[in-house]
C-alpha cells in the first residue's frame, strides 16, 4: 500500500507537462557576461554558486524531502553554455514528437533564443567540435562513429556515499582548507592544487547555502500553516535542511535528504546524466536499524523511499531532437544498487533490501533504475522477492552477476575488497563506487559501415569521399581471409581516429568543463588536489558502444558462402 500523500506526489510527477525553466540559462549567461580574470575552474565554481543562490525554489504541499531541478514540478533546466545543438533545436523544443517541452510564455521562448544566440560559437559543444580534423568529421558524417561527450559533461559519477553519509560536506571542506593551509606554492602544479581545493570549497558551500534556502522557505511556510500535521512536517524539513548536507545525518529522512541534495547538485551543475545513487540498502542501513529499534514501522520507511524515487523520476537531462527520437522518454540511467556482497564476501541482503523491493511492487517508476546484484550465496528469500517484483512490476529490478562484474573490475586493477563494492553506471557498466572516474559515452562505433567503406577501397559510397585507407580492390580478393584482413586494416585506422577524437575531447573537458561536484566525493580528488578530469581518481576508464556486430557476422558468413 502507498499513502495518499505519495499517491498525490506520483500524480504530479506523472501528469504534469514538462516546461522549460529559464533560471539556469538566464543566470549562467548573466554571470559569464561580467568580466573576470578568475581561472576557468574557479569561474565555474562561482557560476554554480551564483545560480544556486539566485534561482527560484519551491516546496510542494505534499513534500517531506526538499529540492527540485526547477521552480515547479517537471521543470527542465537548459544548458546554453554547454549544448551546441540548441542553435538548431531551439525552435522545435515545444513541437517535437518525443520529449516535448513547453515554454511557459512566448516571452520565455524569445528570451531563450536570444540567450542561445549570445552563446553561439562559444559553447562547450562548439569548442569540442573545433578539435576534430576533417577526416574525423567525414567519418562522423558517413556513420562510422559518433562524437561522444561533446555536448555534455563526462557524466557517470558515483560519489562515495558510504563515507559521505557518515561525514557530511563540512568534513570535506575542512579537509580542503587544511590542504590549502599546508600548501607552499612553488610551481604551476601547486597552483593547480590550490585552484582545485578552492573550487571544491566554493561548490560545497554553495550547496549548503542552497539547502539553507529551503530551510528558510520551510520555516516561512510553517509560520503561515494552520494544519498542525503539515506544520510539524515543514519544521522537520527545515531542521533537516539546516543539518544536511553540511553535517552527518542522524535519521533515515535526513540521510535520504543528504543523498538527494547531493545527487541533485551533481545533476544540475552541468549537463549530463547516468550518475549513480550507490548501494542504498547498505549506506542507509544504520539509520534504518536505529529507527526500527525506536519503533518505526515499515510504512514510515516506505513513504520516504517512494518520495525519493519520485524525486529522481521527475528529473530531466534534455537531449537534442535526434537523440530524443533514439531514446524517447528521457532515460536517465541513474541506478540504485541492491543486494550483492559485503567487503568480506558475505551476502549483503538485509531487511532494508526487502523493504525497498516491496516498495517497488507498490509503486513503479521508470527512474531510478534499480539493479539487483546476484551471487551464488545470495539470500534466497530476498532473491525470490526480487524475481517476483521484476515479474509483477514492469521489469525492475535488473539483475547483474557479481562473479562477472567483480572479475572484470579485478582485471582493471581494483583490489578484491574494492571490487565487491561495485555498482552499475549508465547502461550496464560496472564501476567501484566512489573510486571510479568512468568517463562515459566515448561514442558509438559502427563496424558495418567500416565494412561498407572497405568494400569500396576506402571510399564512402554515399558521398564518394575517401574516408578510410586503401585496403585493396575487393575484386582481387581470393578468400574470406582476404576480406577480413582488409577489414581489419580499415578498422584499425578508423578506431585510431575514433580514440584520437575521444582523447582530444576528454582533454578539452579538463580545461573547459570539469565536474566539480563529482570531484568532491570521488576518492583521490580532495587528497591530491585534482579534479576528476585531471586524473584525480586512481581509476579512470570508459567503454565504447559497438553496434552492428550481428550484422558483421552475418555479412562475413554470407560472403564466405555465396562468393568464395
Amino acid at each position: 500500500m502507498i499513502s495518499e500523500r505519495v499517491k498525490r506526489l506520483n500524480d504530479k510527477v506523472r501528469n504534469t507537462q514538462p516546461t522549460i525553466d529559464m533560471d539556469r540559462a538566464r543566470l549562467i549567461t548573466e554571470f559569464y557576461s561580467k568580466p573576470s580574470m578568475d581561472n576557468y575552474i574557479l569561474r565555474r565554481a562561482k557560476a554554480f554558486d551564483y545560480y544556486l543562490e539566485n534561482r527560484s525554489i519551491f516546496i510542494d504541499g505534499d513534500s517531506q524531502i526538499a529540492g527540485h531541478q526547477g521552480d515547479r514540478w517537471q521543470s527542465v533546466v537548459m544548458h546554453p553554455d554547454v549544448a551546441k545543438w540548441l542553435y538548431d533545436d531551439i525552435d522545435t523544443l515545444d513541437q517535437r514528437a518525443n520529449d516535448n517541452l513547453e515554454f511557459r510564455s512566448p516571452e520565455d521562448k524569445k528570451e531563450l533564443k536570444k540567450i542561445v544566440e549570445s552563446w553561439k560559437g562559444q559553447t562547450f559543444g562548439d569548442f569540442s567540435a573545433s578539435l576534430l580534423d576533417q577526416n574525423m568529421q567525414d567519418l562522423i558524417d558517413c556513420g562510422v562513429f559518433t562524437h561522444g561527450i561533446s555536448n555534455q559533461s563526462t557524466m557517470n559519477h558515483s560519489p562515495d556515499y558510504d563515507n559521505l553519509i557518515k561525514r557530511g560536506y563540512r568534513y570535506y571542506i575542512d579537509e580542503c582548507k587544511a590542504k590549502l593551509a599546508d600548501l607552499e606554492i612553488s610551481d604551476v602544479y601547486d597552483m593547480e592544487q590550490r585552484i582545485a581545493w578552492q573550487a571544491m570549497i566554493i561548490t560545497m558551500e554553495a550547496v549548503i547555502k542552497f539547502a539553507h534556502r529551503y530551510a528558510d522557505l520551510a520555516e516561512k511556510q510553517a509560520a503561515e500553516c494552520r494544519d498542525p500535521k503539515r506544520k510539524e512536517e515543514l519544521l522537520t524539513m527545515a531542521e533537516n535542511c539546516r543539518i544536511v548536507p553540511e553535517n552527518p545525518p542522524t535519521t533515515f529522512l535526513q540521510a535520504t535528504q543528504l543523498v538527494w541534495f547531493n545527487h541533485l547538485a551533481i545533476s544540475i551543475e552541468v549537463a549530463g546524466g547516468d550518475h549513480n545513487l550507490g548501494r542504498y540498502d547498505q549506506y542507509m542501513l544504520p539509520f534504518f536499524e536505529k529507527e526500527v529499534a525506536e519503533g518505526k514501522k515499515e510504512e514510515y520507511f516506505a513513504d520516504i523511499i517512494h518520495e525519493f524515487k519520485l524525486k529522481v523520476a521527475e528529473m530531466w537531462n534534455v537531449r537534442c531532437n535526434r537523440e530524443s527520437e533514439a531514446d524517447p522518454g528521457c532515460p536517465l540511467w541513474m541506478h540504485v544498487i541492491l543486494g550483492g556482497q559485503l567487503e568480506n564476501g558475505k551476502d549483503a541482503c538485509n531487511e532494508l533490501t526487502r523493504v525497498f523491493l516491496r516498495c517497488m511492487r507498490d509503486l513503479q517508476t521508470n527512474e531510478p533504475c534499480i539493479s539487483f546484484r546476484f551471487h551464488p550465496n545470495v539470500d534466497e528469500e530476498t532473491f525470490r522477492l526480487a524475481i517476483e517484483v521484476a515479474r509483477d512490476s514492469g521489469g525492475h529490478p535488473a539483475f547483474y552477476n557479481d562473479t562477472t562484474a567483480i572479475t572484470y573490475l579485478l582485471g582493471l586493477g581494483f583490489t578484491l575488497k574494492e571490487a565487491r563494492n561495485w555498482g552499475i553506471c549508465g547502461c550496464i557498466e560496472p564501476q567501484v563506487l566512489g573510486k571510479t572516474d568512468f568517463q562515459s559515452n566515448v561514442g558509438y562505433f559502427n563496424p558495418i559501415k567500416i565494412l561498407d567503406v572497405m568494400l569500396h577501397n576506402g571510399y564512402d559510397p554515399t558521398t564518394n569521399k575517401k574516408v578510410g585507407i586503401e585496403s585493396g580492390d575487393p575484386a582481387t580478393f581470393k578468400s574470406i581471409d582476404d576480406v577480413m584482413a582488409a577489414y581489419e586494416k580499415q578498422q584499425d585506422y578508423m578506431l585510431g581516429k575514433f580514440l584520437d577524437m575521444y582523447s582530444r575531447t576528454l582533454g578539452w573537458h579538463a580545461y573547459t568543463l570539469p565536474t566539480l561536484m563529482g570531484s568532491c566525493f570521488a576518492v583521490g580528488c580532495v587528497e591530491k588536489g585534482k579534479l576528476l578530469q585531471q586524473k584525480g581518481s586512481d581509476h579512470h576508464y570508459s567503454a565504447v558502444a559497438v553496434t552492428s556486430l550481428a550484422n558483421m557476422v552475418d555479412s562475413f558468413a554470407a560472403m564466405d558462402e555465396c562468393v568464395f
Side-chain angles (χ1 to χ4, degrees):
M1 295 291 291
I2 61 174
S3 68
E4 291 302 314
R5 181 184 79 87
V6 170
K7 287 179 182 178
R8 292 191 297 271
L9 290 172
N10 184 45
D11 181 66
K12 292 165 190 173
V13 171
R14 293 180 184 273
N15 297 317
T16 301
Q17 166 64 37
T19 60
I20 292 173
D21 185 300
M22 289 293 296
D23 274 357
R24 189 189 180 282
R26 186 182 292 134
L27 291 167
I28 292 296
T29 303
E30 184 179 292
F31 179 86
Y32 276 103
S33 70
K34 299 172 184 176
S36 172
M37 287 295 290
D38 261 339
N39 170 274
Y40 70 98
I41 293 175
L42 289 175
R43 199 144 162 75
R44 285 209 66 83
K46 292 177 182 180
F48 185 57
D49 180 34
Y50 184 77
Y51 166 56
L52 292 187
E53 186 176 2
N54 292 284
R55 56 158 284 186
S56 299
I57 62 172
F58 82 107
I59 296 173
D60 182 80
D62 288 311
S63 292
Q64 293 183 10
I65 301 171
H68 291 264
Q69 276 192 316
D71 64 354
R72 64 183 72 176
W73 287 101
Q74 291 289 1
S75 292
V76 183
V77 176
M78 307 305 288
H79 296 264
D81 52 323
V82 179
K84 175 178 179 284
W85 60 261
L86 271 174
Y87 311 152
D88 300 318
D89 286 16
I90 184 69
D91 286 319
T92 59
L93 285 172
D94 55 349
Q95 300 168 21
R96 57 191 188 177
N98 298 298
D99 300 342
N100 181 276
L101 310 173
E102 282 188 4
F103 286 93
R104 295 174 184 173
S105 70
E107 290 72 28
D108 275 3
K109 187 169 186 177
K110 290 177 183 177
E111 183 183 2
L112 186 58
K113 288 181 72 171
K114 185 177 179 181
I115 288 172
V116 168
E117 185 62 31
S118 73
W119 281 97
K120 191 168 186 178
Q122 302 298 321
T123 69
F124 175 79
D126 286 300
F127 290 120
S128 62
S130 73
L131 302 173
L132 307 182
D133 61 36
Q134 188 57 53
N135 188 211
M136 290 175 183
Q137 189 61 57
D138 290 342
L139 289 167
I140 291 171
D141 292 342
C142 76
V144 171
F145 50 69
T146 62
H147 190 184
I149 56 171
S150 59
N151 279 269
Q152 56 193 351
S153 75
T154 53
M155 310 193 304
N156 284 74
H157 297 319
S158 59
D160 180 18
Y161 281 118
D162 292 348
N163 285 307
L164 173 57
I165 210 159
K166 298 171 186 173
R167 297 168 172 169
Y169 281 22
R170 187 57 58 191
Y171 172 92
Y172 298 90
I173 292 170
D174 290 344
E175 283 281 294
C176 290
K177 288 181 176 179
K179 298 281 188 184
L180 284 169
D182 292 339
L183 180 67
E184 293 185 8
I185 299 176
S186 58
D187 57 29
V188 66
Y189 304 108
D190 296 333
M191 183 60 73
E192 287 178 353
Q193 287 183 307
R194 179 177 184 269
I195 290 167
W197 284 319
Q198 286 179 330
M200 288 188 232
I201 291 170
I202 292 168
T203 303
M204 287 184 279
E205 292 282 13
V207 182
I208 291 170
K209 290 186 291 183
F210 183 56
H212 290 175
R213 290 187 64 203
Y214 278 102
D216 293 341
L217 180 58
E219 287 170 353
K220 180 176 182 295
Q221 290 187 1
E224 299 167 353
C225 184
R226 296 180 179 275
D227 179 354
K229 182 174 181 295
R230 181 56 184 163
K231 187 183 188 76
E232 182 181 352
E233 289 174 350
L234 286 165
L235 291 174
T236 298
M237 179 186 289
E239 180 184 11
N240 293 346
C241 293
R242 298 276 181 219
I243 294 172
V244 299
E246 181 174 6
N247 304 295
T250 60
T251 69
F252 192 86
L253 180 56
Q254 284 180 4
T256 301
Q257 180 71 75
L258 182 151
V259 173
W260 171 243
F261 268 142
N262 193 68
H263 187 73
L264 179 62
I266 287 175
S267 300
I268 61 178
E269 179 202 338
V270 65
D274 300 17
H275 307 305
N276 196 300
L277 285 154
R279 302 179 71 182
Y280 188 88
D281 62 342
Q282 303 305 309
Y283 60 71
M284 293 293 292
L285 184 62
F287 306 97
F288 173 80
E289 291 179 334
K290 172 178 173 286
E291 292 189 67
V292 166
E294 293 170 354
K296 292 288 198 310
K297 303 299 182 185
E298 182 167 329
E299 292 77 10
Y300 164 79
F301 301 104
D303 226 40
I304 295 170
I305 291 169
H306 287 318
E307 183 173 356
F308 176 63
K309 287 177 60 190
L310 287 168
K311 288 282 190 184
V312 181
E314 191 210 355
M315 301 183 82
W316 276 82
N317 176 27
V318 65
R319 296 168 171 85
C320 66
N321 184 56
R322 187 171 165 186
E323 287 191 33
S324 75
E325 291 176 347
D327 294 310
C330 190
L332 300 173
W333 298 296
M334 295 175 173
H335 292 257
V336 168
I337 315 300
L338 302 176
Q341 300 175 62
L342 302 173
E343 283 187 351
N344 60 11
K346 293 184 178 180
D347 179 55
C349 295
N350 54 59
E351 185 57 28
L352 181 54
T353 316
R354 293 182 282 275
V355 169
F356 201 109
L357 288 168
R358 287 192 286 270
C359 286
M360 293 173 63
R361 188 162 52 192
D362 292 338
L363 177 66
Q364 296 83 49
T365 58
N366 59 343
E367 295 285 348
C369 304
I370 313 298
S371 300
F372 186 90
R373 287 175 41 184
F374 168 84
H375 62 93
N377 297 315
V378 69
D379 176 71
E380 183 174 338
E381 176 193 353
T382 309
F383 184 44
R384 286 186 178 278
L385 175 60
I387 293 171
E388 291 169 5
V389 170
R391 180 195 65 194
D392 298 340
S393 60
H396 274 180
F399 292 89
Y400 292 87
N401 192 310
D402 260 12
T403 303
T404 301
I406 290 170
T407 302
Y408 166 72
L409 292 165
L410 289 172
L412 292 176
F414 291 100
T415 67
L416 180 58
K417 281 187 175 182
E418 289 172 335
R420 283 173 173 156
N421 191 34
W422 69 273
I424 291 292
C425 248
C427 300
I428 56 169
E429 296 86 14
Q431 57 175 248
V432 173
L433 301 171
K435 294 190 175 183
T436 302
D437 177 17
F438 185 77
Q439 299 151 350
S440 168
N441 193 11
V442 177
Y444 286 91
F445 191 72
N446 186 16
I448 199 70
K449 185 60 185 181
I450 300 174
L451 178 63
D452 187 24
V453 171
M454 181 276 292
L455 290 173
H456 294 84
N457 199 17
Y459 283 80
D460 172 27
T462 59
T463 63
N464 206 31
K465 277 187 178 182
K466 186 177 181 182
V467 296
I469 59 173
E470 293 183 7
S471 50
D473 182 356
T476 67
F477 296 162
K478 304 297 184 184
S479 68
I480 192 65
D481 291 337
D482 292 341
V483 176
M484 296 181 74
Y487 171 80
E488 287 179 10
K489 291 179 184 177
Q490 289 289 352
Q491 179 174 274
D492 286 348
Y493 172 77
M494 294 180 185
L495 186 58
K497 299 296 288 188
F498 181 58
L499 294 177
D500 185 18
M501 175 189 70
Y502 175 64
S503 295
R504 296 182 189 190
T505 306
L506 196 59
W508 198 249
H509 273 277
Y511 287 96
T512 313
L513 201 67
T515 51
L516 305 176
M517 280 299 304
S519 299
C520 291
F521 311 110
V523 174
C525 292
V526 170
E527 292 84 348
K528 298 176 188 176
K530 288 182 175 291
L531 305 178
L532 281 171
Q533 290 75 15
Q534 300 168 333
K535 298 186 177 180
S537 170
D538 289 335
H539 300 275
H540 36 271
Y541 56 94
S542 190
V544 177
V546 181
T547 65
S548 69
L549 287 178
N551 304 71
M552 289 294 299
V553 173
D554 290 345
S555 298
F556 285 130
M559 283 187 278
D560 192 26
E561 178 71 21
C562 300
V563 178
F564 302 109

